[in-house]
Amino acid sequence: MRELVLSMFLIFFVFQCVSSVPTKEQFESCLATNSIFKSPFNHTQDSQIFTDFSEPSSSPSSSFLNLNFTSLKPILTLKPRSETEIKKSILCSKKLGVQVRTMSGGHDYEGLSYLSLSPFIIVDLVNLRSITINLTAETAWVQSGATLGELYYKIAKTSKVHAFSAGICPSVGVGGHISGGGFGTIMRKHGLASDNVVDARLMDVNGRILDRKTMGEDLFWALRGGGAASFGVVLSWKVKLARVPEKVTCFISQHPMGPSMNKLVHRWQSIGSEVDEDLFMRVIIDNGQEGNQRTVKSTFQTLFLGGIDRLIPLMNQKFPELGLRSQDCKEMSWIESIMFFNWRSGQPLEILLNRDLRFEDTYFKAKSDFVQTPVPENVFGEVTKRFLEKETPLMILEPLGGKINQVSETASPYPHRRGNLYNIQYMVKWKVNTVEEMNKHVRWMRSLHDYMTPYVSKSPRGAYLNYRDLDLGATKGTNTSFEDARKWGETYFKGNFKRLGLVKGKIDPTNFFRNEQSIPPLF
Ligand SMILES: Cc1cc2nc3c(=O)[nH]c(=O)nc-3n(C[C@H](O)[C@H](O)[C@H](O)COP(=O)(O)OP(=O)(O)OC[C@H]3O[C@@H](n4cnc5c(N)ncnc54)[C@H](O)[C@@H]3O)c2cc1C
Ligand SMILES: *[C@@H]1O[C@H](CO)[C@@H](O)[C@H](O)[C@H]1NC(C)=O
Ligand SMILES: *[C@@H]1O[C@H](CO)[C@@H](O)[C@H](O)[C@H]1NC(C)=O
Ligand SMILES: *[C@@H]1O[C@H](CO)[C@@H](O)[C@H](O)[C@H]1NC(C)=O
Ligand SMILES: *[C@@H]1O[C@H](CO)[C@@H](O)[C@H](O)[C@H]1NC(C)=O
């Protein structure tokens, strides 16, 4: 299936190549001319524009990259230093007929922010990442190029009792992450990152800057979970901060997979999303090593928004099977819990500012599922068997429920709310970057995903946009019909897909902002 889709891309690309692709020099020359602007414009402050023509700020690692088409390279990478420069990038791309790929943190699972099979430029927002916190209002304006780590660091330096509800990995960019939902350790209490957006500034296909008031509620709705890449360039988000206690508690509980662990994980399924919203207990299944023997282990990695004194009785009541003792737990600040979840306890907080912190030199393929009724115990036995065939497989089970369920399925594009117990993220990583290696691992991943079919959400089988998966389907060119895109669109958005199409039809009717999984316009 994937091979088929990709060969279709290739044919499309070859077709595109016949018509001439603008060169880097042509693009630079367009940027240097002011005549592309119709309205009076202040250029004096732009004398040093686009000083940075260079590699994208993030080092790519998606499996898509393994295809090794030289044609996947951008005409150039722009790192604008002002919103005016973003406007120029958009207008020149339109004029020269090339695509824009907007990149914030560059963590897209299929590399759609820095790869394309059509001629394109990258607009890398790395230089636009200021963060302004208003503690009185408990809000922050965050420019899209900021990472979660930068945001968390700034919040922690400003207040001991505030946080933001978003993902765990600090190098993830707010631009992509918040527009795709945003799962993290305090989401059961405070909702997804996208649920905490109160305003946004977007640049549209004509270079106009819109905020919540001027864009209207439909477009504002779409940006909060629908993937901003389809609608324009998000310049900045205004987000609601969360209140957290000065002391929170973390623990990990790790055990080899086997009959008793299968039982424990099975039991967790009915607890994780039901228990007190202060408790976020996720399960990581991955491989370990005992001597020369490969093993599979399971880790309960937990944050509790409160002290040990309250956590122990709660665990004894709700999950006594885990046998948690107070000496297994550690009290810390919220920002230290971010370090804890990144296996970096005790290291300097400044690590959160490192934008390259992720899977170094590793390629991966990921998929996701939503689970609505507990998976039978023996499934964990089969998963263990399959994991033993692989060097670095990974499964992360993240509990939902709580605040996530208090939002209706249509209130934002993210639809996987009431009725879902947890999300599964599957991942397999590899180091040697050959087509054969990639095919082998991707085949394994697809087979695991197929095996899970009877146990996960159905009609449609759900998937999480931020764990993007091109196997679900992809579009090509400008010509994709809305009906064709439905297949993958409804896995991410269910019934909200149609409304996303209508919003797209209004804000970007010519489908300028597009990628292999962007929303096609509907009129
Ligand atoms: C190591 C790692 C850990 C992760 N951990 C979590 C986690 O804990 N929770 C979770 O929910 N997800 C997690 N993710 C997934 C992550 O949320 C998504 O990959 C997210 O889309 C990344 O955003 P980005 O800005 O870094 O990526 P990018 O690749 O820059 O962007 C992703 C998509 O958004 C578009 N985009 C980016 N910026 C803008 C903008 N300003 N305006 C319009 N469109 C834009 C891009 O064009 C692309 O289509 C993780 C990913 C990785 C690689
Ligand atoms: C244009 O730039 C000049 C010089 O920097 C500045 O004084 C002026 O306010 C700017 N005008 C606008 C409309 O931004
Ligand atoms: C911060 O928020 C408060 C309350 O909404 C508001 O009155 C104040 O003007 C804001 N401060 C800044 C610097 O924007
Ligand atoms: C990718 O293509 C280049 C140029 O054709 C080639 O030298 C290189 O070996 C290829 N790499 C892989 C992993 O196929
Ligand atoms: C685009 O769609 C139209 C109408 O469906 C069709 O006639 C045309 O050939 C398509 N173009 C491409 C490039 O696929």
Side-chain angles (χ1 to χ4, degrees), residues 428-444:
V428 60
K429 302 184 203 174
W430 63 92
K431 283 209 169 245
V432 184
N433 176 24
T434 65
V435 173
E436 295 76 39
E437 272 292 297
M438 176 188 77
N439 286 341
K440 192 174 80 188
H441 295 294
V442 169
R443 257 198 313 273
W444 180 86

Side-chain angles (χ1 to χ4, degrees), residues 19-87:
S19 61
S20 74
V21 174
T23 61
K24 180 175 169 188
E25 289 66 33
Q26 280 173 301
F27 207 98
E28 285 168 351
S29 137
C30 174
L31 291 171
T33 347
N34 298 332
S35 60
I36 56 165
F37 297 106
K38 288 194 192 75
S39 54
F41 213 84
N42 201 345
H43 298 293
T44 49
Q45 66 246 64
D46 292 344
S47 52
Q48 277 217 305
I49 65 159
F50 305 119
T51 43
D52 240 344
F53 292 104
S54 54
E55 291 294 304
S57 64
S58 286
S59 44
S61 61
S62 91
S63 58
F64 196 43
L65 190 73
N66 288 270
L67 293 166
N68 196 27
F69 293 126
T70 44
S71 51
L72 294 176
K73 284 215 163 43
I75 296 166
L76 46 77
T77 296
L78 300 174
K79 297 180 182 173
R81 294 186 179 277
S82 68
E83 292 176 347
T84 306
E85 293 180 2
I86 301 179
K87 176 169 178 170

Side-chain angles (χ1 to χ4, degrees), residues 58 61 100-114 123 125 143-148 166-185 187 202 223 227-237 282 342 357-359 364 398 425 427 464-468 513 515:
S58 286
S61 61
V100 168
R101 294 295 163 109
T102 308
M103 179 159 109
S104 289
H107 279 48
D108 192 275
Y109 275 17
E110 299 280 9
L112 299 191
S113 58
Y114 51 84
V123 173
L125 299 177
Q143 280 191 303
S144 286
T147 61
L148 293 179
I168 289 163
C169 172
S171 53
V172 164
V174 302
H177 181 73
I178 297 183
S179 75
F183 289 171
T185 58
M187 66 177 167
L202 176 86
L223 296 180
S230 299
F231 306 103
V233 176
V234 173
L235 305 171
S236 49
W237 303 102
R282 69 172 184 172
N342 282 285
L357 206 68
R358 53 174 180 170
F359 323 132
F364 66 93
E398 298 200 295
Q425 176 176 198
M427 190 176 275
Y464 173 41
L465 181 65
N466 270 343
Y467 301 155
R468 191 192 303 285
F513 286 109
N515 61 42

